[in-house]
Amino acid sequence: MQLPREVVVGKNTLEQIGAICKRLDFSNSALIVMGPKTMEIAGRKAMDILTHEGLKVDHLVVTSCNIKDIVFVEDKIDQLKPQVILGIGGGTKIDVAKISASHKDRPFISVPTTASHDGIASPLVSLKGLDKPYSLMAQAPMAIVADTNIIINSSPRFTASGCADVISKLTAVKDWKLAHEVMDEYYGEYAANLALMSAKLMLKNARLLTTDMEQGLRVLLEALISCGVAMSIAGSSRPCSGSEHLFGHALDQIAPKPAMHGEQCGVGTIMMARLHNINWRQIRDTLKRVGAPTTAQELGLEKEHIVEALVRAQEIRPDRYTILDERTLTPETAKTLAKTTGVI
Ligand SMILES: [Zn+2]
């Protein structure tokens, strides 16, 4: 079980990056992986702070997370031999840094500039361009430094998407429990409860994101980080990814222009909650409250995409037993499900 050693969430926490690296015994060298935008938002500042602390700091700018990007970063790691890799950005940059560091057996520090999904703290990465559209195991970050002063300025769409990703654990945990009962799959109560608690706290505190953004962001970040930790404890994405994520991954393959990860999984959660016979209306209403999409139209997708993704979700990952194995959806029953829940 790999867990982060330092988790720092709050205003201006980026300023602590030098002290954190020192505490973790990284006082010689670091490699920062970031995007062109995140370099301006946070990257330059991190470089300055670490250089000031006496570290030799190199940086790489990446724009996507495919095999080419990963090889590019890995080659640099071989060449520069940094003590630690920092990923600064939203999903992609953190993922590239995380998987490259893991392949090269180096520690990795996550510095999220958005709160759009639980990958900021999880040991998994989502890689594009593979036959498997779901996440792969890499390594947990050694530290997470989430500066709410930076994240508060990101697009509200990212934050809403992160909220939806947390809420999706309501059905993910149900699916896991089901797999345990029906298929005798390993079920870790601690990991399951941690993910579930995060989702419940998010439901309870969602209004904060409209009334007190700073406080709301803290709740969201702590929830996302707890979800990441839940996956580290479980040793897989099981506590955080069930049928609603399979639906989201199916949309990624079907839709010409997919929406954000959390947005798609959030809409999936509404429908899977209905299949699980849990309170799908409360889930839909919370997603609405935080400004996350609840319909095909709001996702920018056609009704047909939703129906097709529902039908194909199960085959995305047949080894992952979910409610979709109990309630096989046909185009007709999928359409009914999407209609009853107001998604189409
Ligand atoms: Zn997710």
Side-chain angles (χ1 to χ4, degrees):
M1 197 188 291
Q2 275 185 338
L3 296 171
R5 271 172 59 187
E6 295 251 1
V7 178
V8 192
V9 178
K11 280 187 182 176
N12 300 320
T13 49
L14 186 63
E15 284 167 15
Q16 298 176 38
I17 193 80
I20 291 165
C21 280
K22 286 227 149 153
R23 274 207 296 278
L24 295 169
D25 256 350
F26 306 132
S27 39
N28 295 331
S29 56
L31 173 66
I32 300 184
V33 178
M34 54 196 161
K37 259 193 241 160
T38 51
M39 181 161 173
E40 296 312 318
I41 297 167
R44 263 186 220 288
K45 190 170 175 183
M47 279 158 55
D48 286 348
I49 295 170
L50 292 173
T51 307
H52 189 76
E53 289 283 339
L55 276 85
K56 179 183 168 292
V57 184
D58 287 288
H59 74 276
L60 286 178
V61 173
V62 294
T63 48
S64 48
C65 182
N66 56 41
I67 302 290
K68 239 174 84 187
D69 299 294
I70 295 165
V71 171
F72 172 59
V73 177
E74 287 179 4
D75 285 349
K76 276 282 174 199
I77 297 175
D78 280 340
Q79 190 190 324
L80 299 164
K81 302 193 174 22
Q83 279 181 310
V84 61
I85 324 293
L86 280 82
I88 303 184
T92 321
K93 286 77 197 176
I94 287 182
D95 275 356
V96 177
K98 193 193 292 178
I99 196 159
S100 312
S102 161
H103 286 165
K104 293 292 166 188
D105 218 7
R106 304 272 150 160
F108 151 74
I109 294 180
S110 169
V111 185
T113 53
T114 68
S116 55
H117 60 89
D118 57 25
I120 59 172
S122 77
L124 292 116
V125 293
S126 77
L127 251 182
K128 297 279 174 262
L130 289 187
D131 53 342
K132 289 176 185 147
Y134 49 84
S135 301
L136 302 171
M137 215 37 171
Q139 67 173 355
M142 178 159 284
I144 302 158
V145 182
D147 190 331
T148 51
N149 258 6
I150 293 169
I151 298 170
I152 210 163
N153 291 315
S154 65
S155 155
R157 200 180 155 194
F158 287 118
T159 310
S161 184
C163 244
D165 199 24
V166 173
I167 289 168
S168 76
K169 307 333 174 201
L170 292 167
T171 46
V173 171
K174 277 267 167 198
D175 282 322
W176 195 13
K177 191 106 198 258
L178 182 72
H180 173 63
E181 284 161 5
V182 180
M183 305 297 285
D184 203 24
E185 188 182 310
Y186 161 77
Y187 176 79
E189 196 137 21
Y190 192 90
N193 279 328
L194 189 56
L196 196 58
M197 181 183 70
S198 305
K200 285 183 176 167
L201 281 173
M202 204 64 249
L203 283 182
K204 193 176 142 202
N205 293 298
R207 64 183 163 75
L208 280 177
L209 283 166
T210 45
T211 57
D212 182 351
M213 189 56 168
E214 162 74 23
Q215 212 33 48
L217 260 188
R218 266 175 179 272
V219 172
L220 171 59
L221 283 162
E222 283 171 8
L224 289 170
I225 292 166
S226 302
C227 291
V229 169
M231 288 185 261
S232 287
I233 294 171
S236 77
S237 63
R238 241 321 181 177
C240 297
S241 170
S243 48
E244 74 299 316
H245 270 67
L246 296 178
F247 166 79
H249 298 320
L251 274 182
D252 282 337
Q253 292 195 326
I254 293 163
K257 200 168 171 282
M260 291 181 68
H261 169 81
E263 294 178 331
Q264 295 186 159
C265 295
V267 171
T269 308
I270 303 172
M271 297 185 284
M272 301 310 155
R274 159 113 193 158
L275 291 182
H276 272 295
N277 276 323
I278 59 173
N279 193 345
W280 62 269
R281 287 188 179 85
Q282 185 195 21
I283 292 167
R284 177 200 57 192
D285 293 348
T286 309
L287 290 173
K288 271 190 186 165
R289 192 170 307 133
V290 300
T294 58
T295 64
Q297 199 185 8
E298 286 168 3
L299 284 173
L301 301 173
E302 302 297 327
K303 292 175 183 175
E304 293 69 34
H305 296 141
I306 301 290
V307 175
E308 195 184 339
L310 281 172
V311 174
R312 283 177 48 186
Q314 192 274 342
E315 69 198 46
I316 291 284
R317 193 169 182 175
D319 60 314
R320 180 147 287 187
Y321 194 88
T322 70
I323 191 74
L324 295 169
D325 292 279
E326 306 248 310
R327 305 274 301 271
T328 308
L329 293 171
T330 63
E332 291 71 37
T333 52
K335 200 169 177 183
T336 309
L337 174 63
K339 275 194 169 171
T340 338
T341 48
V343 172
I344 62 170

